[in-house]
Amino acid sequence: MSQSLSKIYIHLIFHIKTTSPEIRDGELERVHSYIGQLVNTTGSHVIQVGGIGNHVHILFLLSKNESLSHVVEEVKRNSSRWIKNIAPCYRTFEWQSGYGAFSVSRSVVDKTLQYIKNQRAHHEKRTFRDEYIDFLKLYDVEYDEKYVFVD
């Protein structure tokens, strides 16, 4: 083959540190927009960013030239630095070091997109912890619950 082609949809999830201030509702849209721009600067293509004050969901197409870990590193490092400058209350803002990344079949991209868009309503009924554990179980990811939520 003379071309290298790929189309890998990723659903990325990460959480703030327990000692970090939550992102206020009035700033969520702005933060999500900035995070989307950061994804795009890696050569990947953001589809949707959403979440609530304590965690983020990102649906994106992974660049054929980037590793997932590098995209995550760039997004978390640069967004954390930027969020700290939004307002004094974010001076100590930090993301947890870990993340969850899950492949998304083309057939469920629209469903995943709607899921991310409806995070506010979704979390009126479910905690992040329950949501994340369900993802780990759905994707058959081995984990140790005593470490999965540690900063």
Side-chain angles (χ1 to χ4, degrees), residues 102-130:
F102 308 95
S103 60
V104 177
S105 168
R106 176 64 193 111
S107 63
V108 294
V109 165
D110 291 338
K111 182 178 176 182
T112 306
L113 178 63
Q114 290 307 310
Y115 180 83
I116 293 172
K117 285 182 177 181
N118 292 319
Q119 280 292 291
R120 172 78 47 213
H122 178 73
H123 284 291
E124 289 175 2
K125 300 173 188 158
R126 296 188 54 112
T127 66
F128 171 76
R129 181 183 207 89
D130 291 341

Side-chain angles (χ1 to χ4, degrees), residues 78-117:
N78 289 309
S79 65
S80 179
R81 185 179 305 145
W82 183 80
I83 290 167
K84 287 177 183 182
N85 292 308
I86 292 175
C89 66
Y90 297 120
R91 181 176 85 253
T92 60
F93 182 86
E94 290 183 84
W95 298 112
Q96 286 181 330
S97 59
Y99 62 90
F102 308 95
S103 60
V104 177
S105 168
R106 176 64 193 111
S107 63
V108 294
V109 165
D110 291 338
K111 182 178 176 182
T112 306
L113 178 63
Q114 290 307 310
Y115 180 83
I116 293 172
K117 285 182 177 181

Side-chain angles (χ1 to χ4, degrees), residues 23-35:
I23 301 165
R24 298 181 295 203
D25 287 348
E27 282 135 3
L28 276 174
E29 187 175 328
R30 184 175 166 203
V31 169
H32 293 162
S33 176
Y34 187 73
I35 286 172

